[in-house]
Amino acid sequence: MTAPGERVVVRAPAKINLALRVGALEDDGYHDVVSVYQAVSVFEEVSASLPRDGVTGVTVSVRGTGAASTPLDGSNLAVRAAHLLAERAGVPADVALSIRKSAPVAGGMAGGSADAAAALLACDLLWGTGAGRDELERMGAELGADVPFALMGGTALGVGRGDQLTPVLARGEFHWVLALADEGLSTPAVYRERDRLLADAGEQAPALDAEVPGGLAQALRSGDAAALGAALVNDLQDAACSLRPALRRVLDLGRDHGTLGSLVSGSGPTVALLVPDRSAALELAVALTASGLTSDVRRVTGPVHGARQVDAVAPSPFHPSTGANPTVR
């Protein structure tokens, strides 16, 4: 166990969906999915410290992108992760969590899931619980479908609820421009809109094959960005665009600027646009910024590693005991 007063810092990546196929609504209220995830260079950072001055329980403070709209109570996925690990390991749930956010809240990039993944690993290292990656991934799946992938990173196929993962070989580096929105989209609302659009059209959700769709696998194996762009697919895209029509203008702008492919990531509203290289990424980022269609633009690459320890030092000035809005749960 880390000595009192020290801290463990873990970073976990956000994701985009290279493919998202959505099955029919099941009796339990969920949809089975087949998803191909790619971890990209947008990292959530969680610092875990043993509390000072006799404080017990889990404290959390947040800074960075969307900090004002990130919950500080027991609904925060990082807080839930700490409690879950403590319960399974039989140790006191005493930890001060500091979260530095980079991914948009409710943006379809699983930023909250990355927080949970980082908190699981950070608390495991801090408390010395000795949980292996497989065990952490199983706990992560209880917290949310995207949490196991934030632990794994890279590129992976997810089936079931998206949490049953198989690594996918991806050669080379892919360049993405992310167009972020100033307001998130509710994932349940997007799924409901998907069901409504299918019903209105008299169509049924497709039967799902538990494999990487179409030419996506070959494109990833060969590192062929143009082929990857042609294979991108998201069954939720029409629903997200129905709820947020401005997303179509972002997709149109990307096509006008010669992107290799683009799609709404997950349930949106983040739009991921694939370009051939860094120069093209900069050009597109400038065009998107000038358009006024987005609240923020990021140039990122993928795939990147999953949750990983990056530091273990004495506390920095940013600490729940002195930082903004500490909350004990």
Side-chain angles (χ1 to χ4, degrees):
M1 179 179 291
T2 304
E6 292 188 348
R7 66 179 179 130
V8 174
V9 181
V10 171
R11 288 179 186 157
K15 60 82 180 172
I16 57 176
N17 296 81
L18 307 181
L20 180 57
R21 306 308 309 267
V22 179
L25 180 66
E26 302 291 337
D27 292 341
D28 61 3
Y30 289 90
H31 301 73
D32 278 343
V33 301
V34 172
S35 178
V36 179
Y37 302 105
Q38 186 163 97
V40 295
S41 55
V42 176
F43 293 96
E44 300 285 275
E45 183 177 284
V46 174
S47 168
S49 307
L50 296 178
R52 292 180 168 186
D53 304 324
V55 176
T56 60
V58 179
T59 69
V60 61
S61 60
V62 183
R63 63 175 174 173
T65 303
S69 56
T70 301
L72 298 176
D73 58 15
S75 65
N76 184 296
L77 276 179
V79 173
R80 290 175 55 196
H83 280 293
L84 179 60
L85 177 62
E87 177 186 341
R88 296 295 165 81
V91 300
D94 295 333
V95 64
L97 299 176
S98 299
I99 301 173
R100 186 172 70 181
K101 295 192 64 62
S102 295
V105 176
M109 295 187 68
S113 295
D115 292 340
L120 280 172
L121 181 56
C123 289
D124 171 55
L125 295 170
L126 183 74
W127 294 333
T129 58
R133 281 284 175 145
D134 289 346
E135 187 175 355
L136 291 177
E137 287 181 13
R138 284 193 292 271
M139 283 186 276
E142 296 180 42
L143 296 164
D146 293 330
V147 179
F149 178 69
L151 284 160
M152 175 184 288
T155 306
L157 172 69
V159 299
R161 298 292 178 254
D163 58 341
Q164 301 171 36
L165 299 176
T166 303
V168 173
L169 176 62
R171 288 192 169 91
E173 182 180 65
F174 297 98
H175 296 269
W176 300 91
V177 176
L178 305 180
L180 310 185
D182 57 4
E183 184 180 355
L185 272 173
S186 161
T187 297
V190 175
Y191 274 90
R192 287 194 297 271
E193 181 68 1
R194 157 77 172 169
D195 294 337
R196 186 192 69 80
L197 291 174
L198 286 176
D200 287 353
E203 299 176 359
Q204 294 184 338
L208 300 180
D209 295 322
E211 59 186 26
V212 180
L216 201 61
Q218 177 59 34
L220 290 166
R221 282 195 301 268
S222 63
D224 187 335
L228 176 62
L232 300 173
V233 61
N234 181 1
D235 286 349
L236 293 181
Q237 181 163 296
D238 286 346
C241 290
S242 175
L243 296 174
R244 192 71 57 81
L247 295 178
R248 297 194 187 279
R249 297 170 61 194
V250 177
L251 293 164
D252 289 343
L253 185 149
R255 282 190 288 269
D256 291 344
H257 281 78
T259 56
L260 300 176
S262 60
L263 80 174
V264 174
S265 178
S267 58
T270 298
V271 175
L273 305 109
L274 181 64
V275 294
D277 51 36
R278 294 182 187 277
S279 176
L282 177 59
E283 180 180 343
L284 179 57
V286 170
L288 282 166
T289 301
S291 73
L293 294 174
T294 68
S295 65
D296 193 10
V297 178
R298 310 275 183 90
R299 289 176 289 149
V300 304
T301 58
V304 299
H305 59 77
R308 179 178 296 180
Q309 182 180 2
V310 295
D311 200 5
V313 298
S316 70
F318 179 63
H319 187 277
S321 62
T322 57
N325 301 320
T327 301
V328 178
R329 286 291 178 264

